[in-house]
Amino acid sequence: IGQLVHVWITLTYSGLSTSDTSAYSITGLPFAHDIDEALSGFNANTSDGLGNKGNITGAAFTGVTVISLMDATGPFTYADSNAAAGTLKITFAYKSIY
């Protein structure tokens, strides 16, 4: 729709170490984002797992086609999730540079 890109993603993960401080990141978005625009309408929910899902407050671009999930203190990490397996559903929109 013009330059607005709508994204619906389901992430299924397993075997994660809850002591790992790597952030949940999504790479390979279909279009590079407009550097002056943020994600809009971000919503994260789960069908199972991800014990601390309530801590996810949004996401931020960490590259032109990469976003990282965020909590109140910064990137939302595997350790923050407190769950080794689960399914996370994410929806958001962003403005592309095309």
Side-chain angles (χ1 to χ4, degrees):
I1 303 174
Q3 291 177 290
L4 196 58
V5 180
H6 296 269
V7 180
W8 298 266
I9 297 174
T10 299
L11 300 173
T12 301
Y13 57 95
S14 62
L16 298 180
S17 169
T18 55
S19 63
D20 190 339
T21 57
S22 299
Y24 280 87
S25 293
I26 299 165
T27 64
L29 294 173
F31 300 101
H33 79 288
D34 183 327
I35 197 70
D36 296 325
E37 299 290 329
L39 297 174
S40 61
F42 179 86
N43 185 23
N45 58 66
T46 61
S47 56
D48 58 50
L50 203 62
N52 293 333
K53 68 176 180 165
N55 293 341
I56 299 173
T57 57
F61 279 101
T62 53
V64 292
T65 60
V66 178
I67 62 168
S68 291
L69 299 184
M70 306 297 280
D71 63 19
T73 62
F76 186 76
T77 68
Y78 301 147
D80 293 333
S81 72
N82 196 32
T87 301
L88 175 62
K89 296 180 180 180
I90 302 169
T91 59
F92 60 92
Y94 68 96
K95 185 178 177 184
S96 76
I97 59 173
Y98 296 107

